[in-house]
Amino acid sequence: MPSAAPRPCNFPCCRSLAVSGGRCAEHERDAWVKSPKATKRITGRRLQAMRAALFAHAPLCVHCQAVGLVVLATQRDHIVPLAEGGSDDDDNTQGLCDLCHESKSLAEAMRGRGRGRSV
């Protein structure tokens, strides 16, 4: 069976050819592996009980409330993300509306992508 033709490596400033996966042998990416120090996520009924308790205690979006808006919280958010070493307890959670949660998550993802770059 014929294989695909080699293509230029997609690593910045590399002029080598890559046979598969978009990168040459020198710039291969490591397989994604969860950090051994990563916080274990809470799931299931325990998470649902924690969400209910959070929204009963603080039903409004924290970010909207800070600018004078009254919007119901719909997302349980980690103030310090688990990926950045935050804990999964009540002291590190806040209620956010969908819009605020989406914008905060996007900012966290951009920070994460910036940390992972090696040029």
Side-chain angles (χ1 to χ4, degrees), residues 15-36:
R15 295 177 184 250
S16 299
L17 293 177
V19 177
S20 65
R23 292 209 175 175
C24 65
E26 184 180 346
H27 298 117
E28 282 184 5
R29 294 181 188 177
D30 295 330
W32 184 86
V33 178
K34 193 173 192 178
S35 168

Side-chain angles (χ1 to χ4, degrees), residues 19 26-27 30-31 39-40 43 49 54 58-60 65 70 86 97 110:
V19 177
E26 184 180 346
H27 298 117
D30 295 330
T39 305
K40 179 155 176 25
T43 59
L54 173 67
L60 300 179
Q65 205 171 13
V70 178
C97 66
M110 295 304 286

